[in-house]
Amino acid sequence: GWLYVALALRNTTVIGVMGLMPVYLPGRLGLTEFQMGALLAINPAGQAAFMLLFGRLSDRVGRKPLVVAGMAGSGVFALLAAAAALVPGTTARLVVGGLAFVVIAAAFSAMTTGALAFIGDVAPDDRESELMGLRSTAKGVGGVVGPLALGGLATLTSYEAAFAVGSG
């Protein structure tokens, strides 16, 4: 049960932050649309590589460490996204922003491989599909709550404050 709560909270953070990126990157960080596109492309490209690594690692170190690392990395992503606004200059902002997207690619891959393997390990044969579906439902809840909560908080405070709260 706690895995599903963690997945919902993780998606609240990540989808909440990601929902603000198309405005945050050019508006707050001053990046061009091309630079924004390049940063946004890092996450799916990184996931393709990290999935293989963490898939193998989950069989060696276990599932729970990867889930925990993925959850923690999701929080670090939000903090790095906020930190990008604190560094001077476009190049430095690109580097910190790029690091944030590498971190979320790794965090997503670790969390996903760990969570899917864990569910597969503990689910009874006659409930495995149901529990995999519940995983998607928990993530969907976070995907609804995150943009509303972090978008509202960013409106009342700042992007950086919303990202920091989301990280927590």
Side-chain angles (χ1 to χ4, degrees):
W2 287 110
L3 175 63
Y4 299 117
V5 171
L7 290 169
L9 290 173
R10 181 251 175 221
N11 257 30
T12 297
T13 296
V14 174
I15 303 300
V17 171
M18 286 293 198
L20 295 172
M21 284 295 153
V23 176
Y24 178 71
L25 293 173
R28 179 75 172 104
L29 299 188
L31 304 181
T32 67
E33 286 79 6
F34 177 80
Q35 291 167 327
M36 176 181 68
L39 286 183
L40 292 174
I42 291 170
N43 183 23
Q47 286 177 24
F50 286 124
M51 283 291 188
L52 295 172
L53 170 69
F54 289 120
R56 290 184 183 148
L57 197 58
S58 74
D59 292 328
R60 291 189 186 141
V61 302
R63 285 64 158 119
K64 290 179 186 177
L66 290 177
V67 171
V68 171
M71 298 297 166
S74 297
V76 170
F77 158 69
L79 291 177
L80 285 170
L86 304 176
V87 295
T90 303
T91 302
R93 289 178 176 184
L94 275 170
V95 169
V96 175
L99 179 60
F101 284 101
V102 169
V103 166
I104 196 56
F108 174 83
S109 299
M111 182 271 312
T112 297
T113 56
L116 289 173
F118 180 78
I119 293 167
D121 291 345
V122 301
D125 288 340
D126 63 337
R127 294 195 59 215
E128 189 170 345
S129 296
E130 172 192 351
L131 296 176
M132 291 290 183
L134 187 56
R135 173 189 163 270
S136 295
T137 300
K139 289 177 61 182
V141 168
V144 170
V145 172
L148 293 171
L150 295 187
L153 190 57
T155 300
L156 297 173
T157 60
S158 68
Y159 290 108
E160 296 80 15
F163 294 170
V165 168
S167 175

